Amino acid sequence: MARIRLGMVGGGKDAFIGAVHRYAARLDDRFDLVAGALSSTPEKSMESGRALGLAEDRIYPDFDTMAVAEAARDDGVEAVAIVTPNHMHAPAAKAFL
């Protein structure tokens, strides 16, 4: 069975909850983390994405950029884990709708 291409918003460097969500996504071996806007700053997002082994062109400075870029890809994300502070959940989710 093909794995689901997962993107992540938030959960980058030093974010405990991001690691928890990545571990959980791997438990049943159904998800591959392929893209992310992992921090509130482009620099930290890039650093976090590199540390996680994401392809450079799939590490995004913000979730709006990620949503547009991934929607244009044939192999774009199929699911998104939003692990930002609570007040950012709705804006991030709306970007991917």
Side-chain angles (χ1 to χ4, degrees):
M1 189 178 303
R3 291 185 178 156
I4 298 164
R5 295 183 303 272
L6 178 66
M8 183 169 279
V9 175
K13 185 176 188 266
D14 301 325
F16 168 76
I17 201 64
V20 171
H21 279 75
R22 287 188 296 274
Y23 295 143
R26 287 193 301 256
L27 282 176
D28 67 356
D29 202 27
R30 291 289 322 276
F31 294 89
D32 278 330
L33 180 64
V34 297
L38 301 163
S39 185
S40 59
T41 70
E43 298 80 17
K44 284 176 67 178
S45 185
M46 184 62 73
E47 183 181 342
S48 296
R50 286 178 178 149
L52 292 170
L54 295 179
E56 296 270 332
D57 66 333
R58 297 192 76 178
I59 305 169
Y60 299 98
D62 57 73
F63 58 78
D64 288 314
T65 303
M66 179 179 159
V68 170
E70 289 295 314
R73 295 178 67 107
D74 290 335
D75 64 345
V77 296
E78 298 169 296
V80 179
I82 299 172
V83 294
T84 61
N86 291 343
H87 73 281
M88 293 302 299
H89 285 196
K94 286 179 184 178
F96 288 90
L97 293 177

